Amino acid sequence: MTRILIIEDETTIAQLERDYFELNGFTVDLCHRGDEGLQLALREEYSLIIVDLQLPGLDGFSLCSKIREAKEVPILIVSAKKEEFDKIRAFNLGADDYITKPFSPSELVARAKAHLTRYERLLGKQEKSPQDEIHIRGLVIDKASRRVYVRNQEVIFTTREFTLLEFLATHPNRVFSKDELFERIWGMDSSGDIATVTVHIRKVREKIEMDPSNPQYIETVWGAGYRFTV
Ligand code: CA
C-alpha cells in the first residue's frame, strides 16, 4: 500500500486530492497546516508528499527544504502561484514537480505515479549495487574496471566514450549542453572540435541503445543538450 501525505489548507482541494488518490489505491493522510505537516513528514514514512505553498504555520517553500534535508521522498508542489520565480525557487529547494491550480486531479495522480516509479528505480539501484557499479535497466557500468555490460554482454568502449557515459550516468536526469560536456570530458586544453561530442554521443548510443534513433538512456533535450534518463 502506497502511503502519501497531502499538506493543503483549502479543505475542498485537499479532499478532492485525497479522493483521487484513494480511487487509485493510495492511502492518504491529510494535513491542513504547514508546521503540523512537517512533523508528520519527518515522523512517518511516506512514499510521496504533496505540498501547497501558502499554508498557515509554515509556508510550502520552508516545508519543502526541511523535508528535503531529511528525506529522499518525491515532493510535488500544488499551488495557485503561477510565477516562474516561484517555480524555480521550489525546484531549487528540492521539489520534484510543480503543478498550478486549478489542476486536473487525474494529471496530478499520473505525475505522482511517474515520480514514484522514478524514485523506486533510483533507490532500488542504490540498495543493490556497490558504489563502483552503476546498474540501470539492462546496463551495467563498472567504474573500477571501466567495463560496460549491455544486456549481459560486455561491450568495448574507448576511453572517451567510457568517460562520457560514466559522467552522464553519474549525474542522472541532469541536462548538459554540448559545451559543458566538451569542457568536462575533453578538457579546456583540447584541440578538438565541439562536434566531437555529437559523434561520441552517437557512438555510445549505438553501443548501449536497443534502438539508437529512439534512445532510452541518453536523451536529446532539444535546444539544451543531453540527459541520462533514469
Ligand atoms: Ca493554501
Side-chain angles (χ1 to χ4, degrees):
M1 200 60 109
T2 309
R3 188 176 176 214
I4 68 162
L5 173 64
I6 295 171
I7 309 169
E8 167 64 67
D9 62 329
E10 287 170 70
T11 48
T12 48
I13 292 180
Q15 283 162 8
L16 175 72
E17 290 175 354
R18 183 185 59 196
D19 290 350
Y20 267 82
F21 278 102
E22 284 181 351
L23 273 173
N24 282 274
F26 290 80
T27 303
V28 181
D29 285 358
L30 272 191
C31 182
H32 303 300
R33 291 182 56 90
D35 44 1
E36 289 167 11
L38 178 63
Q39 285 178 10
L40 272 174
L42 299 184
R43 192 179 68 220
E44 306 290 325
E45 285 302 320
Y46 293 106
S47 300
L48 179 129
I49 301 175
I50 292 176
V51 177
D52 178 24
L53 285 181
Q54 291 154 298
L55 289 165
L58 184 72
D59 72 87
F61 290 119
S62 313
L63 195 49
C64 184
S65 73
K66 286 181 195 302
I67 295 171
R68 180 54 74 233
E69 276 171 23
K71 299 254 176 174
E72 281 292 338
V73 58
I75 303 170
L76 276 62
I77 304 288
V78 179
S79 174
K81 287 170 166 278
K82 291 182 168 62
E83 300 296 325
E84 190 179 37
F85 172 81
D86 292 310
K87 295 181 186 174
I88 291 169
R89 188 173 168 205
F91 284 122
N92 284 338
L93 292 173
D96 291 275
D97 210 341
Y98 194 111
I99 295 124
T100 50
K101 295 175 187 169
F103 61 93
S104 143
S106 316
E107 187 189 340
L108 176 63
V109 172
R111 285 184 185 227
K113 285 180 177 172
H115 287 288
L116 283 166
T117 308
R118 193 165 66 84
Y119 266 71
E120 275 164 22
R121 265 195 242 132
L122 276 171
L123 300 176
K125 179 199 81 187
Q126 283 173 359
E127 278 164 20
K128 273 180 246 139
S129 24
Q131 286 287 323
D132 56 358
E133 272 188 16
I134 301 173
H135 291 248
I136 300 152
R137 286 160 270 159
L139 178 67
V140 178
I141 303 165
D142 186 335
K143 296 206 264 184
S145 67
R146 296 180 69 85
R147 287 178 157 178
V148 180
Y149 301 85
V150 182
R151 295 171 284 278
N152 296 322
Q153 293 282 317
E154 186 178 359
V155 178
I156 305 303
F157 273 64
T158 66
T159 304
R160 292 282 199 221
E161 289 166 2
F162 183 87
T163 310
L164 176 64
L165 175 65
E166 182 193 24
F167 177 76
L168 287 171
T170 47
H171 299 86
N173 299 317
R174 266 185 59 188
V175 180
F176 293 96
S177 68
K178 280 181 202 171
D179 291 285
E180 280 177 289
L181 290 174
F182 187 68
E183 270 185 37
R184 286 172 188 253
I185 315 291
W186 281 265
M188 298 293 283
D189 57 352
S190 170
S191 56
D193 186 88
I194 193 161
T196 197
V197 178
T198 319
V199 173
H200 278 76
I201 290 276
R202 197 187 66 228
K203 285 183 180 164
V204 171
R205 276 179 177 156
E206 282 167 1
K207 292 181 179 183
I208 63 172
E209 302 282 359
M210 293 264 262
D211 174 7
S213 61
N214 179 26
Q216 304 299 305
Y217 294 106
I218 302 175
E219 199 185 336
T220 300
V221 182
W222 294 108
Y226 301 101
R227 164 170 68 194
F228 194 95
T229 311
V230 170

